[in-house]
Amino acid sequence: MTTKKLTLKQLKTYLDRQSALYYNEGESEIPDSEFDRLMREYERRSGKTYDTTTAPPTDARYATTEHNFGHLTGRTRKTYSIPEVLDWLKDTNPENETVQLLVTDKYDGNSGTAEFDSAGNLKQFLTRGKDGKGLDLTEVFQSRKLPKSVLVAMKEKLKFTHPDDTFALKVEMLVNYEDFNAINETSGEKTYSNPRNLVAGILRSSNAQDLQEFIRFAPLRTDAALTSYPRTDDWSFIQDYLVDCDDLLTIPKMNYQVLTGTNEEIAEELEVYYNKLIKGEREKRPYMIDGLVLEYLSATKRTDLGRVNDTNK
């Protein structure tokens, strides 16, 4: 697409349309790479960070509700090459100290946040949404809950002691390739172009509650209203207790790597990991991914970096 003649307002309007199609309809008119290119152009010309959050679709069955854990929503700052990652490391770790970074798959589905009460029952499930509000899909996922083993572990591992605490879980809603292909073959109404598209189709269908069993949760982050704990404990808890959880219908495995070293050492390790991914490992993933997520594990680093608008830095 030629954008030289577009005004800044026109470029933003176009990006907003593509973002709404991507997140609300599971459809795309342009490739992800083209959207990223246009987003970078907008940010360069405007000097502002583009907010990819988008208002939930209008649907008479679902309300639009305020997020209680809004900081779990939003996007991450993007880089497009190993040299760019190294620049980010140098910018965020100027003393070149030995640090730890968690590298995880960037799942390409639909984002949501689930809230559970102290008995493990689902209180609320909202899509990412915009301006602190998301589409309320609590009724769709009402059957999912935290089993007793998880509740016990929350008290032992995460030190949940308050009886009225609320547990929040950020997830990516996914359909695996096997189910995607099977549904596409048997669907007499519509053929979906990719698994993300199918997730959006299920959520907008008239029998979403019956079809939700095809949607798996990838557990990404947790938080609580009255209990605090570091990201290291959070990630360990997710791997030990929330992955392959039948009551939550979470995915059976999460691929990740913890990198330790100076800026240059981490960039070298990351390049090896990334090259394996793009030279065959990605095709072995049962779920659709569109990149990798890098994050510091240090609580101090995370606090110092923070976030701007909807973007985690």
Side-chain angles (χ1 to χ4, degrees):
M1 176 183 182
T2 301
T3 56
K4 290 182 179 179
K5 295 183 179 180
L6 289 183
T7 66
L8 203 58
K9 183 177 180 181
Q10 289 172 329
L11 181 56
K12 185 177 183 301
T13 298
Y14 184 77
L15 283 168
D16 289 345
R17 168 180 163 75
Q18 298 306 318
S19 186
L21 283 172
Y22 183 93
Y23 289 109
N24 287 334
E25 307 296 336
E27 299 176 354
S28 301
E29 291 180 334
I30 58 175
D32 291 354
S33 58
E34 177 66 3
F35 180 88
D36 290 343
R37 184 188 71 79
L38 295 175
M39 183 175 68
R40 293 199 302 275
E41 180 179 337
Y42 170 81
E43 293 181 339
R44 177 182 58 79
R45 288 168 58 181
S46 68
K48 300 177 182 178
T49 299
Y50 177 71
D51 182 356
T52 58
T53 56
T54 183
T58 302
D59 194 312
R61 295 171 300 158
Y62 306 132
T64 302
T65 307
E66 198 84 27
H67 275 281
N68 295 319
F69 293 84
H71 58 283
L72 293 182
T73 66
R75 69 181 180 110
T76 55
R77 175 183 169 183
K78 289 189 175 183
T79 58
Y80 301 88
S81 67
I82 297 299
E84 286 187 33
V85 173
L86 183 56
D87 288 341
W88 173 74
L89 287 167
K90 290 178 178 178
D91 182 46
T92 55
N93 185 30
E95 301 300 323
N96 204 17
E97 300 172 329
T98 296
V99 292
Q100 279 194 323
L101 264 70
L102 176 66
V103 182
T104 54
D105 286 349
K106 184 177 179 295
Y107 295 102
D108 196 4
N110 287 243
S111 297
T113 304
E115 294 181 34
F116 300 90
D117 62 23
S118 56
N121 299 309
L122 184 69
K123 293 175 59 177
Q124 182 173 272
F125 187 97
L126 303 181
T127 62
R128 185 175 73 153
K130 186 177 181 66
D131 297 329
K133 295 183 178 180
L135 204 65
D136 194 331
L137 302 179
T138 309
E139 184 178 339
V140 174
F141 296 113
Q142 193 66 62
S143 61
R144 304 198 187 190
K145 62 181 300 180
L146 300 176
K148 186 176 181 180
S149 58
V150 171
L151 296 175
V152 171
M154 285 164 56
K155 294 180 180 179
E156 294 179 353
K157 306 294 183 180
L158 301 180
K159 309 304 179 186
F160 273 62
T161 56
H162 199 287
D164 297 322
D165 207 347
T166 298
F167 182 76
L169 173 62
K170 176 184 177 180
V171 304
E172 194 76 3
M173 294 174 276
L174 306 169
V175 172
N176 64 39
Y177 283 113
E178 183 178 356
D179 287 338
F180 166 70
N181 291 329
I183 291 173
N184 250 356
E185 289 175 3
T186 58
S187 175
E189 299 178 2
K190 182 177 181 179
T191 298
Y192 297 94
S193 58
N194 56 54
R196 185 190 69 243
N197 182 299
L198 177 55
V199 172
I202 289 175
L203 296 178
R204 299 295 298 277
S205 69
S206 59
N207 57 338
Q209 201 164 5
D210 296 327
L211 296 174
Q212 61 84 25
E213 65 183 35
F214 290 105
I215 296 177
R216 286 273 181 170
F217 288 168
L220 304 178
R221 290 274 306 280
T222 75
D223 201 359
L226 304 172
T227 307
S228 61
Y229 40 88
R231 175 60 166 155
T232 48
D233 291 355
D234 171 35
W235 185 250
S236 296
F237 183 80
I238 287 172
Q239 295 306 306
D240 293 341
Y241 299 99
L242 297 182
V243 174
D244 200 18
C245 177
D246 290 339
D247 296 82
L248 286 174
L249 285 182
T250 54
I251 63 177
K253 178 184 177 182
M254 299 183 75
N255 295 284
Y256 70 95
Q257 184 104 346
V258 175
L259 305 181
T260 303
T262 62
N263 297 336
E264 290 75 12
E265 289 169 344
I266 283 179
E268 289 176 7
E269 288 185 68
L270 179 65
E271 186 166 19
V272 171
Y273 186 74
Y274 178 72
N275 285 337
K276 287 182 179 178
L277 188 68
I278 63 175
K279 291 179 180 177
E281 291 297 320
R282 182 179 182 178
E283 285 69 25
K284 298 177 183 178
R285 301 289 204 260
Y287 296 94
M288 189 173 172
I289 68 170
D290 62 348
L292 296 171
V293 178
L294 280 69
E295 56 180 296
Y296 282 105
L297 287 175
S298 162
T300 301
K301 285 284 189 188
R302 297 174 73 88
T303 300
D304 289 345
L305 289 172
R307 63 191 262 147
V308 175
N309 298 325
D310 75 322
T311 304
N312 297 305
K313 294 177 66 182

